[in-house]
Amino acid sequence: VVATELTLHGSRLLIGAPLTGEGAARIQDAAARHRIALVTDTNVLPLHAAPLAARLGVPAEDTFTIPAGEASKTRAEWARISDAMLARAFGRDSVVLAVGGGVVGDLAGFVAATFMRGVPVIQVPTTLLAMIDAAVGGKTGVDTPAGKNLVGAFHHPLMVVADPTTLTTLAPTELRNGLAEALKHALITSEDELAWLLASARELSDPAHAASPTMAELVARNVRIKASVVERDEREGGLRKILNAGHTIGHAIESVAAFQAPHGECVGIGLRIEARIAELAGIAGAGLADRVGAALSQLGLPNAPQQRMDAATVLAATRSDKKARGATVEYALLEAVGRPAGATRAFGTAVADDLVLAALAEALDA
Ligand SMILES: NC(=O)c1ccc[n+]([C@@H]2O[C@H](COP(=O)([O-])OP(=O)(O)OC[C@H]3O[C@@H](n4cnc5c(N)ncnc54)[C@H](O)[C@@H]3O)[C@@H](O)[C@H]2O)c1
Ligand SMILES: [Zn+2]
């Protein structure tokens, strides 16, 4: 049984479809007239990809495995997989089946977007972050020495099959990375969404409970939120930027920490500091930042970086954010829970440096 089924830009999004049953059957149907090139990483291969390949009858030689980790999201791996597919005589009838986290999804999606000028991709996300964020919305790509995700393409998947029971093997830190994005989604959506997330926080932050209906509901709620933002963006222009909430400061902290701190932790901290920036700018009422801080604690996420860093360094790092337009750094701020600020300026708000510095200093010197 598929618990939840949605459509986005022609992609079928199946949530709660077990890869050991209905999920595999649906992939088989979708790939019926195609030859499957399965892409995965070294961690996911034995856990979830090889069993799925066996069910689908994909030979071991048609499974292409990258070393686990962000360091594999490169043009070199894109070329290696593309060349290996050509060497195995894959043609226009190929379908790329991406089984893994966001790294595999982004890289394999980019291979599919470019192979023979584009073949379909089926995404089978196996991290919470990939299920609720990376696999939804059609962005694919690779990192370059100049920065992350700078080369890529939009390539909407034919199908996304999210089986939350695969999360039982995920490391707790990786689960928390996804929960930070879920907190972002709740904050930009509504009080009800935030209340649901926090009521379930204890259960959701433990991978041992990942096979529970609560986890499937978390994934379904969050896929809905992201899909609805992506869908409405086409008409409203700029709405997709609200998905950057927490990410201007989050990315800056991540880069000051030399990418050694988990993305989700940095985004969580970014959500809190950006809420404080909104308070100081008079955009949000008092108390929003404290509520975000309390939510982080409930989800097992830190309120401040582990590593010492000073406000001026983090402020400087916001300037190298690729989303910065020219010299102005834009923030996706909230007026309140469920109320993104700046609808009349495409949901981006420029903030004076002294306000950002003040919010950073409070958070980092505490
Ligand atoms: N395309 C988009 O719109 C979008 C959105 C957000 C993030 N991203 C990208 O996603 C990437 C991050 O994705 P991620 O957090 O999934 O990282 P990841 O793909 O590196 O996975 C994290 C770790 O978990 C392991 N893993 C994956 N599934 C597992 C499972 N079920 N059990 C045990 N281990 C498992 C992986 O091998 C890896 O070591 C970044 O490159 C980011 O840029 C893309
Ligand atoms: Zn993120």
Side-chain angles (χ1 to χ4, degrees):
V1 215
V2 179
T4 306
E5 193 163 344
L6 309 167
T7 307
L8 174 68
H9 291 291
S11 309
R12 323 261 326 128
L13 312 180
L14 312 184
I15 301 128
L19 292 178
T20 51
E22 181 69 12
R26 297 292 289 267
I27 293 167
Q28 194 108 57
D29 284 351
R33 281 174 291 127
H34 293 86
R35 178 171 166 208
I36 297 175
L38 193 155
V39 179
T40 189
D41 76 19
T42 45
N43 290 334
V44 179
L45 177 67
L47 296 169
H48 307 291
L52 181 61
R55 285 189 160 265
L56 298 173
V58 176
E61 301 76 29
D62 290 352
T63 295
F64 307 96
T65 308
I66 60 167
E70 186 74 29
S72 288
K73 220 176 93 174
T74 58
R75 284 168 293 196
E77 285 297 325
W78 165 83
R80 193 182 64 81
I81 295 167
S82 303
D83 289 347
M85 284 175 63
L86 292 169
R88 290 279 302 154
F90 274 90
R92 287 249 6 117
D93 64 340
S94 311
V95 61
V96 174
L97 180 62
V99 186
V103 167
V104 165
D106 280 8
L107 176 68
F110 189 46
V111 168
T114 49
F115 191 77
M116 306 225 161
R117 297 197 186 83
V119 297
V121 61
I122 296 175
Q123 295 282 357
V124 179
T126 63
T127 64
L128 181 58
L129 183 130
M131 288 182 193
I132 71 173
D133 195 350
V136 183
K139 288 186 180 176
T140 73
V142 294
D143 303 331
T144 79
K148 287 183 65 179
N149 301 318
L150 293 181
V151 171
F154 277 94
H155 192 52
H156 281 284
L158 184 62
M159 184 182 273
V160 179
V161 181
D163 174 0
T165 67
T166 60
L167 302 176
T168 47
T169 56
L170 201 60
T173 326
E174 299 299 343
L175 195 62
R176 284 195 293 272
N177 273 329
L179 289 174
E181 305 290 354
L183 175 60
K184 176 193 79 179
H185 283 158
L187 289 171
I188 64 174
T189 303
S190 66
E191 288 284 1
D192 284 355
E193 207 56 57
L194 182 62
W196 183 88
L197 177 68
L198 296 181
S200 320
R202 185 186 293 271
E203 189 177 355
L204 293 171
S205 49
D206 182 355
H209 295 148
S212 75
T214 313
M215 186 62 79
E217 183 171 353
L218 175 80
V219 173
R221 282 173 177 266
N222 281 276
V223 169
R224 264 211 182 88
I225 292 169
K226 176 141 189 207
S228 116
V229 171
V230 169
E231 179 135 69
R232 284 181 291 150
D233 190 43
E234 300 228 301
R235 296 193 287 275
E236 291 175 24
L239 184 68
R240 197 167 176 155
K241 277 200 212 137
I242 68 177
L243 297 168
N244 287 337
H247 280 67
T248 304
I249 295 294
H251 281 148
I253 289 174
E254 212 176 350
S255 75
V256 173
F259 294 93
Q260 297 308 298
H263 176 73
E265 284 189 12
C266 298
V267 166
I269 296 161
L271 286 168
R272 184 170 80 97
I273 295 175
E274 290 183 17
R276 186 65 185 134
I277 291 172
E279 289 176 10
L280 294 175
I283 289 170
L288 183 64
D290 284 346
R291 286 187 67 197
V292 174
L296 291 173
S297 304
Q298 278 180 267
L299 292 165
L301 287 157
N303 269 252
Q306 323 272 324
Q307 183 189 322
R308 279 208 66 80
M309 46 183 80
D310 65 82
T313 311
V314 177
L315 176 68
T318 62
R319 308 230 178 274
S320 55
D321 189 299
K322 73 163 170 162
K323 268 125 193 163
R325 296 211 179 282
T328 12
V329 178
E330 289 196 333
Y331 290 81
L333 300 178
L334 295 173
E335 291 171 2
V337 173
R339 288 223 315 270
T344 56
R345 15 162 233 280
F347 300 98
T349 304
V351 184
D353 280 358
D354 58 333
L355 291 189
V356 177
L357 272 176
L360 283 168
E362 274 177 29
L364 300 175
D365 301 340

